[in-house]
Amino acid sequence: MTEIYTIYSAAAAMVMILLWGDLLRRRTAEYVDRRHAAPLRDRCLRMIVQSDGSADGALPPIRRRSERMRLAEVLAELAATTDVAARSRTDSIVAAYGLDRLVLRRIRLASGYRRALWLLRLARLNPRPETAQAVRRYSSSRNRNVRFCTLLCAIAAEPLRSLHTVACWGDTLSRFETAQIVTLIFRGRMPVACTPLLTSPHDNLRMLGLGVVRRIGADETFPILLNIASSDPDRRIAREAMYTLCALHLPLDCRDVVRAMAMMPAAERKSLYRFMAFEGYSVRALSELFREQERQYFESLVESYKCRIPCPR
Amino acid sequence: MKRIALISSDSALRRTVALALECAGAEITTDTRMEELRTCDIVVVIGAAAFASGRLSVESLRRCGEHRPEIFVISWQHTEQTVLSMLECGVDQYMTFPVCLGRLRIKAADK
């Protein structure tokens, strides 16, 4: 009996030590961030944001490698959400501080998801073709995220060849990967035509075309979307075309949509109904699509999305 | 000096936009109380979720009969339907990500 109590006490003590250790680690990380990382991040942000527009403005010297790494992180983060880092300004900052060499070194030393994260940051820093060539060897990595971020680097380095690069990529694009590529292409302000992408024989380019259509709301591609939804040989792309039709709030009461829905298994149909309800389709708009009991299910979904509209007093 | 309120759940984005608008000589506040928002010249809302969920509305931000504060929305939503809905609700400027901070500064200075 005493031995059991001893074992339990030891286990409880071990758990408490681990919990306290984790708490201490988090508090320490917060302290370091507050004292050092946050002010440095703020300083880098000020340097980039407040010097926007003056591509020839002098850059302050930053000697410490950790500070330059922080600058690379901030610049990559800014490039993802703002247009502040015009290409000339980004190139001048990257060249002045050797950020591309630093990031390449970090990519070489990292592994797994950290390597993917640094590859993503490199893609946002407008890499040169030589830089993208240096990371090309990671396109055969076992980690899918690393392979995908290498693709992003190749697209960012040579935007004019982006469609060819995407077509040659060995994996099939997921919806989120497609969205990231579309964002990167639009950042490069490269005109992209939807129709050739949607009618392309390459699966990845058709996925990319659907992503572009969703991004810009290209209603005029309605006939092509219907055709893909009802007769595309890849069921995944046909399903994605259905979601694109719903996202654009296009009419769904037509023969092609009925045919497309008929080919879907029950679970996929239910998932699509949830999306349709979220997008605001009414029961009447979809009356042609329902099988038995699906109408009640969709009505319950529509009721769950209704909310009180506050009226001014 | 213009008084601009920032509403955003993302602290990094909020800081970035605040720095950009400070260059235009504006006073930035992140106080989201309704009484404070009504005293500002411009309210910048990052993300359309607050309007889409009904948590925020143009009528609640403005006093009856007044067109102050000006409301800017910066969002990831690019579709025409979302943009038109926002503008019809009374939003003055709708900008999409990636947002041009220089343009935002100019528009804030013009208002």
Side-chain angles (χ1 to χ4, degrees):
Chain A
M1 202 64 169
T2 313
E3 289 170 354
I4 294 173
Y5 284 139
T6 309
I7 292 169
Y8 279 147
S9 302
M14 187 67 72
V15 168
M16 288 303 295
I17 289 169
L18 287 174
L19 287 175
W20 278 107
D22 186 58
L23 184 64
L24 187 64
R25 184 186 59 79
R26 283 189 206 184
R27 290 282 171 88
T28 309
E30 280 173 16
Y31 174 78
V32 168
D33 186 74
R34 204 168 44 244
R35 274 300 286 271
H36 301 290
L40 178 57
R41 203 162 39 232
D42 206 55
R43 187 178 144 212
C44 294
L45 204 57
R46 277 182 189 278
M47 191 188 85
I48 298 167
V49 172
Q50 294 183 343
S51 66
D52 178 33
S54 55
D56 299 326
L59 296 167
I62 300 178
R63 291 202 173 79
R64 294 179 67 176
R65 188 186 290 172
S66 59
E67 291 187 10
R68 285 186 284 154
M69 290 307 301
R70 185 68 62 186
L71 177 62
E73 288 175 25
V74 169
L75 192 56
E77 201 175 291
L78 274 179
T81 52
T82 68
D83 206 10
V84 66
R87 192 163 189 118
S88 58
R89 187 61 174 159
T90 309
D91 291 348
S92 64
I93 293 175
V94 169
Y97 297 113
L99 297 182
D100 50 348
R101 287 193 307 276
L102 272 179
V103 174
L104 279 175
R105 183 172 176 275
R106 185 58 68 99
I107 289 169
R108 214 167 39 245
L109 296 174
S111 62
Y113 288 98
R114 283 187 185 277
R115 177 175 281 167
L117 179 61
W118 281 106
L119 281 167
L120 182 63
R121 285 173 177 153
L122 182 65
R124 289 173 180 166
L125 294 178
N126 299 329
R128 292 168 299 172
E130 310 85 72
T131 311
Q133 186 66 25
V135 299
R136 203 173 159 194
R137 57 186 169 138
Y138 302 116
S139 59
S140 56
S141 168
R142 282 181 299 177
N143 189 313
R144 187 194 166 94
N145 288 287
V146 172
R147 294 199 300 273
F148 177 67
C149 292
T150 310
L151 173 68
L152 290 181
C153 287
I155 292 172
E158 292 177 289
L160 293 178
R161 285 174 49 86
S162 56
L163 299 182
H164 173 78
T165 310
V166 170
C168 294
W169 198 51
D171 296 302
T172 49
L173 287 173
S174 69
R175 189 184 297 173
F176 302 106
E177 289 166 349
T178 307
Q180 279 191 285
I181 293 174
V182 169
T183 302
L184 197 58
I185 288 175
F186 274 75
R187 259 188 65 211
R189 293 188 185 88
M190 207 182 73
V192 177
C194 303
T195 307
L197 286 175
L198 292 173
T199 53
S200 165
H202 295 284
D203 291 350
N204 281 343
L205 288 183
R206 291 204 301 285
M207 272 299 273
L208 190 61
L210 291 172
V212 171
V213 166
R214 275 174 101 148
R215 169 72 173 250
I216 63 175
D219 294 353
E220 64 273 13
T221 57
F222 180 48
I224 306 175
L225 293 176
L226 281 181
N227 187 37
I228 295 174
S230 60
S231 56
D232 195 283
D234 191 329
R235 295 314 312 156
R236 188 179 56 92
I237 294 178
R239 188 174 65 239
E240 195 58 32
M242 280 297 305
Y243 277 91
T244 305
L245 283 168
C246 298
L248 297 181
H249 304 106
L250 293 170
L252 300 177
D253 52 349
C254 54
R255 208 171 39 213
D256 288 323
V257 174
V258 173
R259 189 163 53 213
M261 295 281 291
M263 289 189 281
M264 286 184 178
E268 277 185 22
R269 290 172 68 93
K270 283 187 90 172
S271 174
L272 191 55
Y273 284 136
R274 285 194 289 274
F275 189 70
M276 287 172 180
F278 178 75
E279 290 294 337
Y281 281 94
S282 67
V283 175
R284 189 189 289 186
L286 306 176
S287 55
E288 302 286 327
L289 307 179
F290 296 127
R291 288 178 185 166
E292 50 185 283
Q293 294 185 348
E294 286 182 345
R295 189 187 182 91
Q296 281 176 335
Y297 174 69
F298 189 75
E299 280 174 354
S300 68
L301 287 173
V302 170
E303 287 298 319
S304 71
Y305 278 112
K306 282 182 180 172
C307 56
R308 279 182 166 280
I309 299 174
C311 296
R313 288 179 188 171
Chain B
M1 184 190 287
K2 279 215 176 77
R3 201 149 176 271
I4 300 179
L6 282 180
I7 301 176
S8 172
S9 55
D10 187 325
S11 58
L13 273 177
R14 196 167 56 232
R15 186 72 189 128
T16 304
V17 174
L19 275 175
L21 292 173
E22 276 172 7
C23 295
E27 178 194 340
I28 308 296
T29 174
T30 53
D31 192 338
T32 57
R33 287 177 299 164
M34 212 48 78
E35 315 80 62
E36 288 297 319
L37 294 177
R38 287 195 187 120
T39 62
C40 296
D41 297 301
I42 300 174
V43 173
V44 178
V45 183
I46 300 176
F51 287 101
S53 63
R55 192 163 47 88
L56 199 63
S57 68
V58 175
E59 286 76 22
S60 62
L61 283 172
R62 291 175 178 157
R63 287 200 183 89
C64 189
E66 288 185 14
H67 197 73
R68 272 189 76 244
E70 302 276 345
I71 298 172
F72 289 15
V73 174
I74 309 174
S75 170
W76 282 104
Q77 302 270 356
H78 288 81
T79 56
E80 189 181 340
Q81 192 159 11
T82 307
V83 176
L84 287 176
S85 304
M86 284 286 162
L87 294 174
E88 283 169 8
C89 284
V91 168
D92 296 287
Q93 288 286 341
Y94 186 91
M95 303 175 86
T96 54
F97 284 115
V99 63
C100 178
L101 293 181
R103 194 162 152 250
L104 178 63
R105 273 200 291 267
I106 291 170
K107 287 194 180 293
D110 282 346
K111 294 291 177 185

